[in-house]
Amino acid sequence: MSAQIAHAFAFSLATTLMATVVIFRAGDGTLSVAPAAEYDGDEAAIVREIDPFATWETNRRP
């Protein structure tokens, strides 16, 4: 999934579930999204963490 689609999906999932989600790079280089509570992979693979309770400035891209 592209970075743009991954970010859009992550924001949608975070606000729907009202839970923190992570965007991470899988072993084959693709981006994936999962709830943070269910992610048990390498922390170095996390590209971004989206918290639906944070302010907009905290969640925007660097």
Side-chain angles (χ1 to χ4, degrees):
M1 136 177 7
S2 72
Q4 183 178 8
I5 292 172
H7 279 85
F9 180 63
F11 276 104
S12 177
L13 185 62
T15 56
T16 300
L17 297 177
M18 291 308 289
T20 302
V21 298
V22 292
I23 302 170
F24 63 95
R25 191 162 304 278
D28 62 356
T30 59
L31 294 174
S32 297
V33 177
E38 296 179 15
Y39 180 73
D40 60 355
D42 185 12
E43 286 191 31
I46 295 176
V47 174
R48 181 155 216 80
E49 188 172 304
I50 310 293
D51 181 359
F53 299 104
T55 62
W56 181 81
E57 288 83 15
T58 306
N59 280 328
R60 71 181 181 167
R61 292 184 197 172

